[in-house]
Amino acid sequence: MKHSLAFIAVLWLSGCAIFGAPTELDETKGWSAQRIYTEADEKMRSRDYEKAIKYFETLESRYPHGRFATQAQMDKIYAYYKRNDPISTIASADRFIKLHPDHPNIDYAYYMKGLATFNERGVVEKLTKQQISDRDPKSLRESFLALKELVTRYPNSRYVKDATLRMTYLVDMLANHELHVARYYMKRQAYLASVNRCKFVLETYPDSPSVEEALVIMISAYDLMGMDDLKQDTLRVLQTNYPDSKMLKKGVPEERVWWKFWEGLYAS
């Protein structure tokens, strides 16, 4: 009898080795689409986003058609966003846009895509301890374009107001980045390159607060290059558009150190 039990045990262990570990039981087996969605929604409410995503994916694979599958695809965008996974959020939003271009809530997918891109920039900034203006502006532009797409396509969307505020912020940061590079060129005595950066700010971001400093840097650069006519022209533009500029007040250095003086004011 003992030998028989030992033989059975050996066979059982051999079977495990051959066929692998037992598969995990699927708790959703036999569930309807509605029940899976209800369970996923409850997980979302309890902030168990990992489990909610799992339920949404199960629902999509098992019941790929119908309103529950479509809603699961949309809710999964938000679940990824709340899980602080911007890459998956953007991918899910893009997929929803591709699958449901005429959905009545398609503006939400565009908004979440822009929001995820915006937050991805913020995460990188925190991890690298860098100022936004010090970094490659690629992520800033991507975020701006994603939000712009929402505003352009759906101007009456409920998300436009928030998107517009974020776009304004991004424009200011992009302009600030150009000034950061312009200051660097001034320190390296690459005055023409600095002027070109400042011109880009004036042409591309004319409503940005960075325009005033761009003019100041240009004045100093023209002065250092001995281009007095261009210096005086730019000075008149500064006086006309920024009559209360600190650079025009009494006690401000008159030559060759304007941009350094202004940089100190800007940093404060």
Side-chain angles (χ1 to χ4, degrees), residues 210-230:
S210 297
V211 167
E212 182 181 358
E213 186 183 358
L215 290 169
V216 170
I217 293 175
M218 289 175 69
I219 292 168
S220 187
Y222 285 138
D223 180 58
L224 289 162
M225 289 189 290
M227 298 179 175
D228 191 63
D229 288 347
L230 291 174

Side-chain angles (χ1 to χ4, degrees), residues 97-162:
I97 291 168
K98 182 178 180 180
L99 292 175
H100 311 286
D102 299 320
H103 193 279
N105 295 323
I106 190 70
D107 59 329
Y108 174 79
Y110 280 104
Y111 175 67
M112 291 304 297
K113 178 181 177 181
L115 201 60
T117 311
F118 184 91
N119 287 349
E120 183 179 24
R121 172 205 50 73
V123 169
V124 172
E125 179 192 350
K126 290 176 183 178
L127 291 176
T128 61
K129 305 299 182 181
Q130 285 181 305
Q131 293 296 319
I132 298 174
S133 60
D134 298 346
R135 300 193 297 105
D136 185 335
K138 180 181 177 181
S139 62
L140 299 176
R141 293 196 187 100
E142 289 176 349
S143 180
F144 178 84
L145 291 174
L147 292 168
K148 182 181 178 182
E149 190 171 17
L150 164 68
V151 173
T152 303
R153 286 175 176 267
Y154 307 98
N156 297 320
S157 169
R158 59 185 290 193
Y159 307 109
V160 163
K161 183 178 180 179
D162 182 70

Side-chain angles (χ1 to χ4, degrees), residues 63-74:
Y63 303 100
H65 306 293
R67 65 185 182 89
F68 287 110
T70 301
Q71 188 62 47
Q73 292 164 7
M74 179 172 287

Side-chain angles (χ1 to χ4, degrees), residues 40 43-44 47-54 56 72-86 88-89 92 108 112:
K43 294 300 180 184
M44 288 284 285
R47 300 181 181 180
D48 186 354
Y49 302 114
E50 195 72 39
K51 190 69 172 180
I53 290 169
K54 183 178 178 181
F56 288 138
Q73 292 164 7
M74 179 172 287
D75 289 349
K76 192 166 65 170
I77 299 171
Y78 186 70
Y80 278 126
Y81 175 78
K82 294 298 290 184
R83 201 183 68 172
N84 296 318
D85 187 347
S88 296
T89 304
S92 295
Y108 174 79
M112 291 304 297

Side-chain angles (χ1 to χ4, degrees), residues 6-20:
F7 180 71
I8 292 171
V10 169
L11 287 176
W12 185 81
L13 291 172
S14 298
C16 290
I18 295 171
F19 298 108

